[in-house]
Amino acid sequence: MSEAAQQKVEVNNAPVTATQRMANLVSLAKRRGFVFPASEIYGGLNGFWDFGPLGIALKNNIRDTWWRDMVECPPIGPDGSPLSIVGLDSAIIQNPKTWVASGHVAGFADLMSDCRETKGRYRADHIVCTEIQFKKGDNVKSLGWLSTLDGDEAEANLAKKAKKMIQKSGGGEIVPFDITKAIPFTSLSESQRALVIGPDAENPGTLTEPRKFNLMFETYTGVFQNEDSRAYLRPETAQGIFLNYKNVLDSSRVKVPFGIAQIGKAFRNEVTPRNFIFRTREFEQMEMEFFCPPDDAKMWYEFWVTTRLKWWEERIGLSKAKLQRREHDSDELAHYSTACADVEFQYPFSEPKFGELEGIAHRGNFDLTQHSQHSKTNLEYFDQENNKKYLPHVIEPASGLTRGVLAVLCDAYEYDASRASPEWLRIKPSLAPIKAGVFPLVNKDGMPEMAEKIYLELRQSFTCQYDAKQSIGRRYARMDEAGTPFCLTVDGDSLKDSTVTVRHRDTASQERVNAGQLKAYLNEKLA
Ligand code: ATP
């Protein structure tokens, strides 16, 4: 997002475009303590973000829902019996041979291109280009290839740049072009690439030829920093699961089919971290490897794609219209994979397109085969019932927790200029960082005492916040921006009839509820 676009659209002005909506959301996220730029007082660090008090609460709620639905109460399988899935927390730094066996050392790379003019660095497959041609008589001359980064209103950007270029060339007859058919930089020929004007550049031909860039962060273990002590921060949590597959089999009572689930940090030195917390260099994943008999893998793949799509909709509350399943084309698949589908979400910066939220991959027995060979450990499973040995096949639902937080925030952001609190977050109540705000209407006449009593009781069951400062409207607005579904206000009548006002975040409607019934009321609403 450009700096200009990042400027918050003033609240009296409805955020009309997706870019404005996104800019407002980023601003709200900082203002309310969801997400801060990491090391901000030192100027920040590209690709790193910190989660503030409300952000960590929201993130933990999504994380706990995933853990509950995967490990503590896994889904019922196609045959009607509950699945067996166990948890794991493996080290971030593993023996570096892990990443040789998994293929990450040799192949976990993106193509990148540098701009000689602006010193910018871009993921080559994220640059999209369109050619502008100029017509004089029968002669057609190329004015060059304009480029921008994919997403982020790419078409509008290209159109703006094209207009500027045409003006610069003194006007004239421009061959009509279709801005919606922008071509990826990597799909152009080498001679065409040499004519491209970089996304932030003025002159053509300043982008270098795409070259491979390994995304793994390197570090060293022990006191000597040399080739022998080199290690890597894990770029995914999945490999820690494969390394412990035998330990889990030997120590638990699991039998194939079963799953091992893990949530944790992953690190990728992304070439172009961007779009807020969509693509960061440090992020959290929620991954599960489901080990199954080879003959059943196709059936489990279908099961998991369907189950995961439904989970984001039903358990996390993302809008159905903003979710889709996208099957990978055969040329997108890794050589060992027979199928892969993404659960995609329509983020404001990807509109009208969708971006990845989770990938579900049929990985065959690639990982277990690789780790068997490289570690010289037999990882075969002995199927007692059928008296045969085999390497299980694996279905991997791999989702981003950080990206999940982003999808929830994007989906929840609402704006209505006619409301006293025009911006609010329509977060599913069970995931909201604060479930209820408890207020005395005014800070006197016995109201604070009654409100405090209610607060002290409710906070034992729900995350609540007590607030007696500022006008009641300001307090409602603060809670709306935090995504708090209910505000409970003690007023003059409360002292007479023991009822309080319950205000609903999304409609701003109010009702009276008996103070003694509040716990049961919230339990019902949050169920
Ligand atoms: P992408 O194509 O967006 O780079 P990927 O296909 O490489 O993602 P996976 O390796 O399948 O991603 O990782 C599983 C999940 O981890 C993704 O669906 C995404 O939600 C999350 N993820 C991956 N890379 C990042 C990142 N740099 N920042 C935040 N989340 C990420």
Side-chain angles (χ1 to χ4, degrees), residues 108 110 123 235-236 268 270 277-285 287 328 342-343 347 356-359 396 398-404:
F108 192 55
D110 277 338
R123 229 175 98 167
E236 60 175 35
R268 296 182 187 178
E270 296 280 358
I277 52 171
F278 178 79
R279 188 172 300 288
T280 57
R281 290 179 167 145
E282 175 180 340
F283 55 97
E284 267 173 278
Q285 291 186 311
E287 298 198 293
H328 283 209
D342 287 345
V343 172
Y347 303 92
E356 181 175 336
L357 176 58
E358 168 162 355
E396 176 193 79
S399 59
L401 174 55
T402 317
R403 242 178 235 187

Side-chain angles (χ1 to χ4, degrees), residues 83-339:
L83 302 185
S84 168
I85 302 179
V86 293
L88 179 80
D89 183 15
S90 69
I92 284 174
I93 297 177
Q94 300 282 353
N95 187 311
K97 288 178 188 159
T98 305
W99 308 108
V100 176
S102 67
H104 284 83
V105 168
F108 192 55
D110 277 338
L111 286 173
M112 62 158 198
S113 227
D114 288 321
C115 178
R116 296 186 200 94
E117 182 186 317
T118 64
K119 309 292 172 231
R121 174 164 282 184
Y122 310 97
R123 229 175 98 167
D125 60 330
H126 285 172
I127 304 174
V128 290
C129 313
T130 195
E131 188 181 20
I132 309 293
Q133 291 175 318
F134 185 77
K135 203 169 169 202
K136 210 171 195 182
D138 284 343
N139 279 346
V140 175
K141 190 181 135 206
S142 177
L143 285 182
W145 287 78
L146 291 174
S147 75
T148 190
L149 290 178
D150 199 7
D152 250 13
E153 303 196 331
E155 282 163 27
N157 275 346
L158 284 177
K160 232 187 284 165
K161 286 183 179 186
K163 210 169 146 198
K164 222 168 121 189
M165 184 186 235
I166 291 164
Q167 277 165 356
K168 223 167 129 185
S169 71
E173 205 184 337
I174 296 291
V175 179
F177 56 90
D178 184 353
I179 221 93
T180 62
K181 297 220 171 84
I183 304 170
F185 183 65
T186 43
S187 303
L188 299 179
S189 68
E190 199 176 331
S191 55
Q192 287 169 326
R193 281 199 292 267
L195 296 173
V196 170
I197 301 171
D200 303 300
E202 295 286 329
N203 303 301
T206 59
L207 288 176
T208 61
E209 271 298 284
R211 59 202 153 97
K212 279 196 162 182
F213 173 76
N214 195 300
L215 300 182
M216 278 199 296
F217 276 103
E218 290 183 7
T219 186
Y220 296 91
T221 55
V223 286
F224 297 109
Q225 301 201 346
N226 54 34
E227 198 57 28
D228 294 337
S229 64
R230 180 187 300 164
Y232 304 95
L233 302 190
R234 67 181 176 200
E236 60 175 35
T237 59
Q239 296 305 320
I241 296 179
F242 294 118
L243 301 189
N244 284 288
Y245 151 83
K246 197 171 174 331
N247 282 337
V248 171
L249 262 185
D250 293 347
S251 61
S252 325
R253 296 176 68 85
V254 289
K255 282 196 308 196
V256 170
F258 75 99
I260 306 179
Q262 163 153 249
I263 299 176
K265 292 258 177 164
F267 303 82
R268 296 182 187 178
N269 197 5
E270 296 280 358
V271 179
T272 39
R274 64 195 178 119
N275 291 330
F276 194 29
I277 52 171
F278 178 79
R279 188 172 300 288
T280 57
R281 290 179 167 145
E282 175 180 340
F283 55 97
E284 267 173 278
Q285 291 186 311
M286 309 184 288
E287 298 198 293
M288 196 271 292
E289 307 302 318
F290 195 74
F291 301 90
C292 61
D295 290 346
D296 297 343
K298 233 175 139 187
M299 180 267 291
W300 285 116
Y301 169 73
E302 247 332 294
F303 172 84
W304 280 113
V305 178
T306 315
T307 303
R308 294 303 305 150
L309 185 62
K310 219 163 105 190
W311 185 82
W312 285 106
E313 187 196 330
E314 291 179 1
R315 297 285 286 153
I316 301 303
L318 296 182
S319 308
K320 194 180 173 120
K322 288 192 184 159
L323 283 168
Q324 71 173 22
R325 167 182 179 161
R326 186 183 73 84
E327 213 67 42
H328 283 209
D329 293 333
S330 52
D331 60 353
E332 282 179 89
L333 294 176
H335 64 92
Y336 50 80
S337 177
T338 49

